Structures are given as C-alpha cells and as structure tokens.
Amino acid sequence: MANNVKVFLELIADSSRWTAGMKQGANAISGFARKAKTEIASIRNAFGSLKSKLASMGLSIGAGALLWQSARLDKSLTQIGQTAGATGREVQTLRKDLFRLGSESGQSVDSLKEGFNVLVQSGLSMKESKATLEGVNTAMAVTGADAKTLAGGLTVAATAFQFDLAKPGQALDLLDKMTVAGRLGNAELENLADIFARVGVNAASAGMNFNSTLAFVEGLSQIERNPERLATLADSTLRVFTNLNYMAGAQRATGVQFFDAKGQRRDAMAVLEDIRKKYKTLTTDKQQAAFVQAAFGKTDLDTIKGLRTLLTGGSLDKVRQYFREIGQAGGTLKRDMAEATSNLVDQAGRLKSALREAADGFAAPIKNVLTDLIKWSMDSREKGGLDLTGKDMIVGGVTAVAGTALIARYGGKLLEMIFGKGKKLPGSPLDILKGKAGLAASIAEGKAIQAATGVTPV
C-alpha cells in the first residue's frame, strides 16, 4: 500500500514526468496518458478564455482564490450553523439564500453573512434570522446601511418591544419605519440602528412604543446631529421616566402624574404634553427657569437639556408630526428598491454575486477532494492516513491541485490504473477518495476543472 501511494503521489505531481513514464509502459496506459494531457491542455485553454472574457469586464478570478474563498465561506457558515444548532441541510440552504439575496440586491454575500451571524448570535433561530435578513437585504440596497448594524438594531427592537421577527414582513416593516424616521430627522437609518441599541430598552420602560421612540429620537436630532451624542442625549432624557427619584421630583413640582389610577404607565408623549402645557402658562424667563429647576434640578445636565428642548419651541409638535408619518411608512423600502438599485454599483454587485455563486459551485467538487487528500496524507496511520510530513511532501513533489484535477476528471478510472483494476480496499480513505472523485467527475466535468487546472505542476 505504501509503495502504491508513493507512486500515486509522484505521478500526480508532474504531468510531464507522468506522461513520459506512461509511454514506457503498456499501450493502454500510454493512450490514457496522451488523452489526459490533451484534455488538460484543452481545459486550460477554456479557462484562459473565460479569464480573458472576465478580465475585459474588469473582473479577475484565480483558481486558487476561488477555492480559498469557497473554503472560507464553508468554515464561517459551519460556525454559524453550530451557533444556531442548525443541520447540515439548513446550512446549505442558507448558503443558497445568501447568494440569492446578493443577486437580487447587489449586496455583498460576506456582508449579508455577517448580518446573519449577528442575528444568530443574538439568540434568534435560523428561521427568525432568515426572515429578518430578507428585510435587512432590502434596506441595505436602498439606504446603504451595514448589515451588522441593521441586524443589531432590529434585535434590540424585537427584544424591547416584543416583536416576532419570524413573522413574514415584520423586519421589513420595522426597517420601513426606521427609514422614514431617518429621512425626517438628522439621524439616518444606520445611525438609528446604533442609537436604538442604546435607548430601545429604556424607551420601552418609559412607556413608549417603537414609533414614538423613533419620533422622540428624531425630534432631539434637531438640536444634536452627532449620532453618539444624540444617543446619550436621548438616553439621558428618558431617565425622567425610568429613574424613580427623577420621576418623583418631577411629579411633585409639576403636578403631572406619570402613572394612571390603576398604576399603569401613561404614554410618555402625553406626560410631556401635560408638562409643556403648564410650562407655557409661565410668562417670564425667570418663571420658566424656576419651573425647570424645581421639576428637573436633581437630574443630570443632559436630561435637563433634552427636556428643555421638548418643552420649548415646536420640538414636541415636531415629534408628534414624525410619529404620524412613521406610522404610515409601510411599503417604503419595496417602493424605493428598483430606483435605488438602478445604478452601475448595485448592478455590478448583482453580477458579482451571480458569478461568485457559479464559481462556488465549480469549486465545490475539487475542494472536497482536495480536503480529503490533504487529510489522508497528513493523518496518522492509526487514523488510516499516510502520516506524511511537510518534508515528505516537498521531496515527493506533491502538487495537490494538479492531482485533484486529474482525480476530479477521471475519478475511479485513474485510481484503478494506478492501484490495479478490481482491487478492493473496503473502508480505507482511498475508498472515500474514490467516491469523492466519482462525484466530482459527474458534477464538475468541464466546470470544476476550469477552476483548478490553471496551476502549473511543480
């Protein structure tokens, strides 16, 4: 067995040496060698033509890069599947969905994958995450926001306001409202997703719903444009509703109740409106300053700043207006999708996703055979491997890609000629490799080898 393997590894390493050796043997083997050499040349020519065509479009695909890109996607999707407790079939379906979404919107498959990972890491199931990603994909295409940021904002919203993201259209509905809110105020969609992660839970505790929270944040954005400072300002302003000491002081000074007769929280906007009515009855700056000091003097400076903004001028009216418009936001992203993606950047992105999906399929059989070949070569003999060291492989001149290409093209036929026709090695890694080779040959004839035979053997 060891001698056969050594011969096999040496033969696949160098097509020219292999051809010369075969010519000295039986006529059948010699004919096979000539056929292999001819087909490899034709495959390389075909691949070169494909590369030329892609290059004329400003694209470049290398065989090694394709395999490595596909392998990295394998690893990351496997990790995501393990986090979600998903089956292998579910992970494969996710792979197809990522390519489909990228081809529809022009968004990066890797970016979509990272967004999906955020959803899974937050505790959503595969079903919930996939439903949510559909909405995220549309929002990315229309607004340019990042998938990870949108995913994070949605998961916070779902937790704070008890939304079921597995419900069809739920994520898109929330993103519609966030998009409209971003257009109304100075905090854009990508900013809102981050801000929501800061204020969502406290807003819900203050008695606000999703729509009023968005309107509240955008109202404050009129005086604070910086997203980080806006998040701090909004969170601090909400403390008058979440800090019991702040709340008690405000109730005593204003006479406005924060809870109804049954002990339930009143709507935060209604509470602020009642406080503003009393504030407006004061006619001098001194009276108004004393009112604010008595009601909110023990709060922090950002809380006072936010509340004074909402009590003066038309800020609270603006929040009310935003609230109404956000409530009518349904369908915004779908309506804007076609126009938003009618540009070279997004259309090129769609093409890139489609080409990458094709290349991923071409690479799969070669990649699978190569994985088994490396594992078999390096595993210990106790595990059924060859226990080869790096030095062994360098001295032997092993070029895995070239050998894998031959296996993928000729499958079991090549191995039978090297190891002997009809020879059975039940349960050995060789049997597994032959099975993989047969699969590769049937699936990838003329395709997988396109992605693997542009490498010259050493």
Side-chain angles (χ1 to χ4, degrees), residues 74-343:
D74 286 342
K75 184 173 180 62
S76 56
L77 290 181
T78 296
Q79 291 171 333
I80 291 173
Q82 290 172 336
T83 300
T87 65
R89 184 182 295 274
E90 287 175 320
V91 172
Q92 286 302 314
T93 301
L94 171 61
R95 191 189 202 99
K96 294 177 182 178
D97 286 338
L98 291 174
F99 283 120
R100 173 180 59 81
L101 291 173
S103 296
E104 289 175 357
S105 67
Q107 302 308 298
S108 162
V109 170
D110 290 321
S111 181
L112 289 166
K113 178 198 66 183
E114 291 303 317
F116 190 89
N117 190 37
V118 169
L119 296 171
V120 168
Q121 292 283 356
S122 69
L124 296 186
S125 67
M126 289 288 284
K127 179 181 178 182
E128 292 169 329
S129 298
K130 287 173 69 173
T132 304
L133 194 65
E134 296 280 347
V136 168
N137 183 52
T138 304
M140 289 171 67
V142 175
T143 68
D146 177 73
K148 293 171 66 175
T149 301
L150 294 177
L154 284 172
T155 54
V156 171
T159 300
F161 298 104
Q162 301 300 302
F163 291 118
D164 180 9
L165 292 177
K167 180 181 176 183
Q170 179 66 81
L172 190 60
D173 180 61
L174 298 180
L175 289 167
D176 278 336
K177 293 176 178 180
M178 293 171 73
T179 300
V180 169
R183 292 172 179 176
L184 291 170
N186 292 316
E188 301 298 331
L189 174 59
E190 58 269 28
N191 304 135
L192 283 173
D194 281 333
I195 293 169
F196 226 82
R198 288 273 305 275
V199 308
V201 173
N202 286 338
S205 298
M208 292 184 180
N209 60 25
F210 185 72
N211 293 7
S212 58
T213 301
L214 290 173
F216 170 74
V217 170
E218 290 297 353
L220 292 178
S221 76
Q222 301 302 314
I223 63 163
E224 182 53 78
R225 291 173 176 267
N226 181 277
E228 290 186 10
R229 291 198 293 267
L230 175 58
T232 299
L233 177 62
D235 194 43
S236 296
T237 305
L238 287 170
R239 288 175 191 161
V240 76
F241 297 96
T242 59
N243 184 305
L244 291 179
N245 290 328
Y246 290 179
M247 194 186 306
Q251 285 186 150
R252 285 194 302 270
T254 64
V256 175
Q257 298 302 307
F258 284 62
F259 298 91
D260 62 22
K262 296 180 180 180
Q264 300 299 313
R265 282 188 180 275
R266 296 180 60 206
D267 176 72
M269 291 297 104
V271 171
L272 288 172
E273 185 61 47
D274 287 346
I275 294 175
R276 188 176 71 156
K277 287 178 182 177
K278 295 200 172 186
Y279 179 85
K280 281 188 170 182
T281 63
L282 305 175
T283 56
T284 68
D285 292 342
K286 182 178 180 180
Q287 290 174 330
Q288 291 176 346
F291 180 85
V292 171
Q293 179 62 29
F296 313 115
K298 294 183 179 180
T299 67
D300 58 83
L301 295 178
D302 278 323
T303 303
I304 294 174
K305 177 182 178 181
L307 289 167
R308 183 179 282 118
T309 298
L310 294 171
L311 296 178
T312 58
S315 293
L316 199 56
D317 295 328
K318 186 77 74 175
V319 171
R320 291 285 190 188
Q321 175 195 337
Y322 290 169
F323 177 77
R324 289 191 297 271
E325 294 189 39
I326 290 168
Q328 300 169 359
T332 297
L333 290 171
K334 282 190 174 180
R335 285 196 300 269
D336 294 351
M337 178 74 167
E339 182 179 0
T341 56
S342 294
N343 59 78

Side-chain angles (χ1 to χ4, degrees), residues 47 51 61-72 363 370 401 450-455:
F47 185 58
K51 289 172 68 177
I61 297 180
L66 290 179
L67 291 172
W68 193 246
Q69 184 181 57
S70 181
R72 284 199 303 267
L370 184 57
V401 173
Q450 274 186 347
T453 55
V455 179

Side-chain angles (χ1 to χ4, degrees), residues 14-67:
D14 191 324
S15 60
S16 62
R17 288 169 52 198
W18 179 47
T19 302
M22 285 299 179
K23 285 181 179 178
Q24 298 172 12
N27 290 334
I29 297 179
S30 178
F32 177 78
R34 287 195 299 272
K35 182 179 179 182
K37 185 177 180 180
T38 301
E39 293 216 17
I40 289 294
S42 66
I43 289 167
R44 286 179 178 171
N45 290 337
F47 185 58
S49 175
L50 174 62
K51 289 172 68 177
S52 297
K53 290 177 182 177
L54 293 175
S56 69
M57 298 167 62
L59 303 171
S60 175
I61 297 180
L66 290 179
L67 291 172

